[in-house]
Amino acid sequence: GRAWSPGLLDAALADVPGALAADPASGHLLALLADGTADTSGPGGTAWTRVATRQAIAASPAGARCGLDSITAAAFSPSGQPMLAVGCHRPGTVGIFSRTGGSWQLTGPTLPAGYAHQPITVLRLTTTGETTSALFAAGNAPATRLLAAWSTDGGKRWTLSPALPLNHAALTGSSSGPGSSLAIVLSNRHAMTVTSGASSWQALPVLPAGTATLAA
């Protein structure tokens, strides 16, 4: 962050928290746009090219297994592969795609059988260091639950967190910290943290009014 250079993307970003991702190793950026497409840049945010459209992913074999609805977040894997989070119409399917060998593959975690008939919405997807973290909601209100998942190999293997009942609240903020630590802010001013392998989510004191972010 000591030096900045201007980059230009002549398009509107999607109105989601994870619309822009960066790969620190290569300097490439990945942008999710308002029209449902995803573009990637060369080093320094220049020379943008199209890498995906919602229609193209939906028409692929992997997209058909998901029943793709909308693209919800963009990230790079620890090795620099583009990743996209999507909403899937197919119940029980976690819509996380990784781009390998020129095609998009469905690489979201496999959920326990109890989620087979529940709608799944990926809310966040981000990579910190060597770990990619995902947050997704399972089920319909008032029984919606939040789950976290972590992968260190671009989505080949995932570790799942315990489920967190949202009790009518909504996710309003999240952050990733060292290792696999995650912190979330809910609309009821409650905050929770969790790490990979933990047996439960840990509650923090009720947040001050107006809190927008929480660092893990």
Side-chain angles (χ1 to χ4, degrees):
R2 293 184 177 88
W4 292 80
S5 59
L8 177 64
L9 178 60
D10 189 17
L13 289 176
D15 188 18
V16 291
L20 187 64
D23 177 25
S26 67
H28 292 190
L29 301 177
L30 180 62
L32 178 58
L33 307 182
D35 62 1
T37 61
D39 288 2
T40 188
S41 78
T46 59
W48 290 86
T49 58
R50 181 71 28 90
V51 294
T53 67
R54 189 196 67 79
Q55 293 84 354
I57 297 178
S60 69
R65 295 199 304 273
C66 156
L68 187 146
D69 180 17
S70 60
I71 306 177
T72 58
F76 285 97
S77 72
S79 62
Q81 297 297 320
M83 301 180 73
L84 295 175
V86 310
C88 292
H89 285 303
R90 182 181 178 184
T93 303
V94 181
I96 298 175
F97 286 78
S98 299
R99 185 173 173 83
T100 57
S103 64
W104 291 94
Q105 304 296 324
L106 188 60
T107 56
T110 300
L111 299 182
Y115 294 96
H117 302 291
Q118 297 187 17
I120 309 295
T121 303
V122 181
L123 304 172
R124 302 286 194 275
L125 183 68
T126 186
T127 296
T128 302
E130 297 300 315
T131 303
T132 299
S133 305
L135 286 169
F136 48 94
N140 294 308
T144 304
R145 297 185 175 193
L146 186 71
L147 294 98
W150 299 268
S151 176
T152 58
D153 55 12
K156 295 183 179 68
R157 293 178 297 273
W158 293 88
T159 300
L160 283 175
S161 76
L164 174 69
L166 290 181
N167 299 322
H168 299 282
L171 179 71
T172 60
S174 66
S175 65
S176 301
S180 63
S181 58
L182 285 174
I184 63 167
V185 178
L186 301 177
S187 56
N188 57 10
R189 292 173 54 198
H190 288 190
M192 312 288 291
T193 63
V194 70
T195 58
S196 177
S199 59
S200 64
W201 292 74
Q202 301 300 310
L204 299 178
V206 175
L207 298 171
T211 300
T213 59
L214 180 69

